[in-house]
Amino acid sequence: MMRFVVLALAVLLAGCQARFLQDEPPSQLEHVKSGLQVYADQLKQAAHQALTHLNDTEFKDYKEFLGQSVDNLHGYFQDGFKTISPYGTQMLDATKDKREKLIKDVEELHKKIEPMCKELRQVLEKHFQEYSDELKPFLEEYLAKQRQHMEEMRTKLEPVVKSLKEKIGTNWEETKSKLVPIVEAVREKVTEHLQDLKNLLEPYMQDYREQMEKRALDFRQSVSSGELRKKMDELRTQVTPHFEAIIAAVQMAVNKE
């Protein structure tokens, strides 16, 4: 498991290096590694600080186990930092020629297309100006007619709007007098069905709560007795050979390249 974390961190560092193609590889690699170290230390401190809130709660028995797990994870990172540099440097050395060629090609391409882009901008500006000159008289006439039409509509609608405002208040009171009984009838019927549903589901909900409380109690007992940790150790023993085989295959592929 630790070797898999180390390889993942090495790939992460190589990816970060791609953002700084013109920097010196060793100094940039050390910079990224230092940043990851600080971040790992901050995570560890924050985790232990959070675990202090378990002191006076029903989960205080988990604090020691969780704290040890945090320290173990931090240890994996510490071991990974010690072995990152060879992998990261090897990847940077292998891509040095390609990175230099990429920088050179980009610079040459920029110099080649810069005058072409300038000519393209001039042509587009000329075309847009021609389109604008053609459309300007039509748009001005259209906008003038629209403003005149809107003014006529506003004049015609003024008495209509005034009449509607006067009727809305009266009509709303009349509508409300007919709507309230309907809403009240629906509310009573919905309340009745909800109460029936609650009575029907109450035994199942009570049983579910009891089952969850029992499972929580079993989990706390397994943690305090060390049974959970034993199962985790067995699982780690089973999966470690598979991760080591994957790491070995990746290392062989890198060495062949």
Side-chain angles (χ1 to χ4, degrees):
M1 182 66 181
M2 183 183 68
R3 295 180 181 177
F4 181 77
V5 172
V6 169
L7 182 60
L9 289 173
V11 174
L12 175 62
L13 287 175
C16 293
Q17 290 297 97
R19 298 175 53 193
F20 308 96
L21 294 176
Q22 295 180 339
D23 291 346
E24 290 296 328
S27 62
Q28 190 60 44
L29 182 62
E30 290 299 327
H31 175 71
V32 175
K33 187 171 70 173
S34 175
L36 289 175
Q37 177 70 56
V38 172
Y39 182 66
D41 293 340
Q42 291 176 347
L43 284 180
K44 177 183 176 181
Q45 295 175 2
H48 279 291
Q49 181 65 28
L51 290 177
T52 59
H53 297 291
L54 300 179
N55 289 336
D56 299 324
T57 68
E58 59 179 321
F59 302 104
K60 61 182 179 180
D61 297 337
Y62 304 152
K63 179 182 176 182
E64 181 180 356
F65 171 73
L66 294 175
Q68 185 61 46
S69 299
V70 170
D71 292 338
N72 292 341
L73 288 174
H74 186 264
Y76 295 153
F77 278 106
Q78 292 281 13
D79 295 338
F81 291 145
K82 296 178 182 179
T83 55
I84 277 176
S85 295
Y87 292 104
T89 303
Q90 182 180 7
M91 293 182 182
L92 291 172
D93 291 341
T95 60
K96 179 179 179 181
D97 294 338
K98 293 183 179 180
R99 287 187 289 110
E100 292 178 350
K101 184 178 184 301
L102 175 61
I103 295 173
K104 182 179 178 181
D105 291 344
V106 170
E107 292 177 350
E108 292 178 352
L109 181 61
H110 176 72
K111 294 178 180 178
K112 181 178 180 180
I113 67 174
E114 185 175 8
M116 300 179 184
C117 292
K118 184 177 180 181
E119 294 178 358
L120 176 61
R121 285 194 297 270
Q122 293 174 350
V123 170
L124 291 175
E125 289 174 357
K126 176 185 176 183
H127 292 170
F128 288 141
Q129 186 61 43
E130 292 176 354
Y131 302 151
S132 176
D133 293 341
E134 290 288 339
L135 291 172
K136 186 176 181 180
F138 169 78
L139 292 176
E140 290 178 349
E141 181 182 357
Y142 175 79
L143 291 175
K145 290 182 177 180
Q146 287 298 313
R147 284 192 292 268
Q148 181 181 358
H149 177 70
M150 292 300 297
E151 184 63 26
E152 293 175 355
M153 290 296 297
R154 187 181 67 82
T155 303
K156 294 179 180 180
L157 283 174
E158 280 184 356
V160 177
V161 172
K162 182 178 179 181
S163 176
L164 288 175
K165 287 181 178 179
E166 295 174 352
K167 292 180 179 179
I168 285 176
T170 303
N171 291 345
W172 167 245
E173 292 298 328
E174 182 180 357
T175 302
K176 186 170 66 173
S177 65
K178 303 299 181 183
L179 180 62
V180 169
I182 298 175
V183 173
E184 185 64 24
V186 172
R187 186 190 66 79
E188 292 178 357
K189 185 58 65 174
V190 170
T191 302
E192 178 183 347
H193 283 284
L194 288 177
Q195 185 62 40
D196 293 342
L197 181 61
K198 179 181 178 182
N199 296 336
L200 178 64
L201 295 178
E202 184 64 28
Y204 299 99
M205 295 173 63
Q206 181 63 29
D207 182 66
Y208 177 76
R209 284 194 294 267
E210 293 175 355
Q211 291 292 333
M212 292 301 296
E213 292 174 357
K214 183 178 181 300
R215 292 180 182 179
L217 178 61
D218 293 342
F219 178 75
R220 288 196 294 269
Q221 291 176 349
S222 66
V223 171
S224 60
S225 65
E227 181 181 353
L228 179 61
R229 183 178 298 180
K230 180 180 178 181
K231 292 182 179 179
M232 295 297 294
D233 291 339
E234 292 177 354
L235 178 61
R236 182 180 61 186
T237 303
Q238 295 175 2
V239 302
T240 296
H242 300 286
F243 283 114
E244 291 180 347
I246 294 174
I247 297 299
V250 172
Q251 291 177 341
M252 290 179 60
V254 172
N255 293 333
K256 288 181 180 180
E257 293 180 359

